[in-house]
Amino acid sequence: MNLRYDEVVRSGIAKQVAENIRSAIMDGRLKIDERLPTEDDLARSFGISRPTVREALKRLAAQNLIHSRRGPQGGNFVKRPDPEGLSKAITGAATLLVGVGAFDIDEIVTARLETETICCRLACENRQEEGLQAMAAEILVQQDASISDEEFCASDVRFHRALIDSSGNGPLKLMMYTVIEAFIPITNMIVFRVRERRQVVAYHTQIIDAVRARDAGAATAALSELLSYVRTSYSAALDARGKREKT
Amino acid sequence: MNLRYDEVVRSGIAKQVAENIRSAIMDGRLKIDERLPTEDDLARSFGISRPTVREALKRLAAQNLIHSRRGPQGGNFVKRPDPEGLSKAITGAATLLVGVGAFDIDEIVTARLETETICCRLACENRQEEGLQAMAAEILVQQDASISDEEFCASDVRFHRALIDSSGNGPLKLMMYTVIEAFIPITNMIVFRVRERRQVVAYHTQIIDAVRARDAGAATAALSELLSYVRTSYSAALDARGKREKT
DNA sequence: ATCCAATATTTGTCAAACCTATATTTAAAT
DNA sequence: ATTTAAATATAGGTTTGACAAATATTGGAT
């Protein structure tokens, strides 16, 4: 272990140290599950104080790069990167972006349509009973008229997640969890008023039937109709809001 | 500002405080560019020490949620979420995942093919002179035989980035930067030995010409050929490695 | 040999100070 | 009167030193 910072810039020591250790992890000088030197040793070897070291370590912990244990044989350890955690982090940040209005609904719907179409196709090729069952379960939930809008939306998200999972493609899943968790709610929430749940469920059913039959054409067609339905519902909701504001 | 933590659990005060402030930002109780209370005030109002508050703030800074300025009128401020920063963070984490072998080349290539095909189509619809120029510039770079493999790879990444940018779809760009920055290098590096730069450049040229002519069919066809070329080159590289290991 | 308690190690938290950057204000010089 | 330069106050950045809490190891008693 040879962590030492090369050039002392004026400020942000903690940041530099974090960056230093981070790059050591990234290029493999620190391996997975390896223990870092103790905080005291780090402080000594970097020539800084322990709280500063800790600030640096907290930055890394926030990025899910390390975790810590107390006690003897404890310490700070390089964490094995997990797609699940990354997905969550991306989703949170993407949700913020959406909340801030960084994207307009039209491009979100387009992105959803294009990317989920891929998933439909791959799901048809790679059809697994597990994914089909997960989707079917969500359809059952959605048919229950007593659930709230929020629950319906959550089930909607899970349905599309299952569709993505069925693609069986890891990198694609990583990319798309973002879209789903962050982008579906914003489209749904706006649209709820005008939107017929039964219509949505009908499209979902079409999709799952098509995937089961390995009919990619039918699956993507149903998806396309679902999203154009969402798009028109959104326009309708906007119009309604416009009228209300005129009064 | 009314940040206070509800229940004291046993450990991880800094983590809790970070989570507390984080949720305040997420659900809008803290607005963009708003100043948090001073670290001393936070420490007082949470009933903890300042170093602990700072650890919490560092976590948030690492997640790009806040930034700090010194001096009077300084303090910690809620940061406007920016797609650029998020992309970088995702890329870093995704690169780690790739490095750890979380995905195999085949699914990466598939994901690239499918998603970049979308970009090709949208780029044809949304063709902008700016994007075309950026792509053309990279082709010029790639034709220079004197550049290193690393430089060629970097230019390759920039070319595909420009292609994505040309789609003009923000959410899609967000998703795809991940793929490009993290997934192109791994495919390229393995393949360099066997791969003909001229061939790659030829495909790139086909793509840009097709986009310029708004011929989505030709563009996606060229992309598909490029990636199947990458895929076969990869197999060849694997075979070569296999033979070498037999000796 | 087994179990329990003392111990050592390492992270977690705290306290009080000092350093450093910077916006504002004040005072001086033009 | 205006501009410039220095003093000041503020708030983050860092240090020192200590104590608390968790936990694997060690040593002693049964």
Side-chain angles (χ1 to χ4, degrees), chain B residues 10-182:
Chain B
R10 277 306 172 79
S11 115
I13 299 181
K15 201 168 184 174
Q16 291 168 43
V17 171
E19 197 43 54
N20 189 314
I21 298 177
R22 183 188 145 82
S23 67
I25 294 174
M26 294 288 281
D27 61 25
R29 280 166 24 237
L30 282 168
K31 293 177 194 56
I32 291 174
D33 289 332
E34 186 172 333
R35 210 194 88 164
L36 306 189
T38 68
E39 298 183 349
D40 272 322
D41 288 345
L42 282 173
R44 258 190 299 278
S45 82
F46 279 105
I48 61 178
S49 75
R50 186 161 160 244
T52 306
V53 167
R54 282 180 59 76
E55 284 194 7
L57 295 177
K58 287 310 159 193
R59 297 184 91 99
L60 299 175
Q63 293 171 47
N64 254 286
L65 287 170
I66 63 171
H67 65 100
S68 59
R69 265 206 320 264
R70 289 206 267 205
Q73 305 310 319
N76 292 283
F77 297 85
V78 179
K79 206 168 171 177
R80 156 165 263 107
D82 72 310
E84 198 57 36
L86 176 56
S87 292
K88 283 214 177 106
I90 299 173
T91 299
T95 303
L96 257 179
L97 277 174
V98 169
V100 149
F103 308 124
D104 62 46
I105 295 286
D106 238 43
E107 53 181 1
I108 289 178
V109 172
T110 301
R112 275 191 62 185
L113 175 57
E114 296 290 351
T115 54
E116 288 193 55
T117 296
I118 297 171
C119 293
C120 275
R121 272 214 328 280
L122 294 184
C124 287
E125 291 172 18
N126 182 57
R127 199 195 50 164
Q128 300 283 335
E129 196 49 43
E130 202 179 321
L132 288 171
Q133 280 175 12
M135 287 191 270
E138 295 307 330
I139 289 186
L140 278 183
V141 171
Q142 291 160 22
Q143 283 169 335
D144 177 356
S146 72
I147 62 174
S148 70
D149 282 349
E150 284 72 20
E151 286 166 328
F152 187 85
C153 178
S155 172
D156 193 17
V157 168
R158 287 194 301 272
F159 176 85
H160 287 271
R161 254 184 100 116
L163 178 62
I164 292 166
D165 285 341
S166 299
S167 75
N169 186 299
L172 199 60
K173 277 160 68 173
L174 177 63
M175 298 172 60
M176 298 225 36
Y177 280 169
T178 315
V179 180
I180 295 316
E181 306 266 351

Side-chain angles (χ1 to χ4, degrees), chain A residues 11 22 26 32 54-55 58-59 61-63 65 81 83 86 90 92-94 96-97 100 103 107-108 110-111 114-115 118 121 168-172 174-176 179 183, chain B residues 22 26 32 54-55 58-59 61-63 65 70 81 83 86 90 92-94 96-97 100 103 107-108 110-111 114-115 118 121 168-172 174-176 179 183:
Chain A
S11 116
R22 185 187 144 81
M26 294 288 282
I32 290 174
R54 283 180 59 75
E55 283 194 5
K58 287 310 159 192
R59 295 183 91 99
Q63 293 171 45
L65 286 170
L86 177 54
I90 298 174
L96 257 179
L97 277 174
V100 145
F103 309 124
E107 53 180 1
I108 289 178
T110 301
E114 296 290 351
T115 53
I118 296 172
R121 273 214 328 280
N169 185 299
L172 199 60
L174 178 63
M175 297 171 62
M176 298 223 38
V179 180
F183 294 165
Chain B
R22 183 188 145 82
M26 294 288 281
I32 291 174
R54 282 180 59 76
E55 284 194 7
K58 287 310 159 193
R59 297 184 91 99
Q63 293 171 47
L65 287 170
R70 289 206 267 205
L86 176 56
I90 299 173
L96 257 179
L97 277 174
V100 149
F103 308 124
E107 53 181 1
I108 289 178
T110 301
E114 296 290 351
T115 54
I118 297 171
R121 272 214 328 280
N169 186 299
L172 199 60
L174 177 63
M175 298 172 60
M176 298 225 36
V179 180
F183 294 166

Side-chain angles (χ1 to χ4, degrees), chain A residues 8-153:
Chain A
V8 181
V9 190
R10 278 306 172 80
S11 116
I13 299 181
K15 201 167 184 176
Q16 291 168 44
V17 171
E19 198 44 53
N20 188 314
I21 298 176
R22 185 187 144 81
S23 66
I25 294 173
M26 294 288 282
D27 61 25
R29 274 156 40 226
L30 283 169
K31 292 177 194 57
I32 290 174
D33 288 331
E34 185 173 334
R35 208 193 90 163
L36 306 189
T38 69
E39 299 182 348
D40 271 323
D41 288 345
L42 282 173
R44 257 191 299 279
S45 83
F46 280 106
I48 60 179
S49 73
R50 189 166 154 242
T52 306
V53 168
R54 283 180 59 75
E55 283 194 5
L57 294 177
K58 287 310 159 192
R59 295 183 91 99
L60 299 175
Q63 293 171 45
N64 255 286
L65 286 170
I66 63 172
H67 65 100
S68 58
R69 263 205 324 263
R70 288 205 271 207
Q73 304 311 317
N76 292 283
F77 297 85
V78 179
K79 207 166 172 178
R80 156 165 263 104
D82 72 310
E84 199 56 39
L86 177 54
S87 290
K88 282 212 178 108
I90 298 174
T91 299
T95 304
L96 257 179
L97 277 174
V98 170
V100 145
F103 309 124
D104 62 45
I105 296 285
D106 238 44
E107 53 180 1
I108 289 178
V109 172
T110 301
R112 276 192 60 186
L113 174 59
E114 296 290 351
T115 53
E116 287 193 56
T117 297
I118 296 172
C119 293
C120 276
R121 273 214 328 280
L122 294 183
C124 288
E125 291 172 19
N126 181 59
R127 201 195 48 165
Q128 302 283 335
E129 197 49 43
E130 201 180 320
L132 288 171
Q133 279 175 12
M135 285 190 271
E138 295 308 330
I139 288 186
L140 279 182
V141 171
Q142 291 159 23
Q143 282 169 336
D144 177 355
S146 71
I147 62 174
S148 69
D149 283 348
E150 284 71 21
E151 286 166 328
F152 187 86
C153 178

Side-chain angles (χ1 to χ4, degrees), chain B residues 195-242:
Chain B
R195 200 170 156 199
E196 275 290 338
R197 286 188 188 179
R198 256 171 306 179
Q199 189 61 55
V200 172
V201 174
Y203 287 131
H204 284 176
T205 308
Q206 282 180 37
I207 291 174
I208 190 176
D209 287 344
V211 171
R212 187 170 273 131
R214 305 203 171 210
D215 184 344
T220 57
L223 176 69
S224 169
E225 284 182 49
L226 168 61
L227 282 171
S228 76
Y229 177 64
V230 168
R231 206 191 291 256
T232 54
S233 302
Y234 171 69
S235 306
L238 270 195
D239 288 351
R241 183 182 297 177

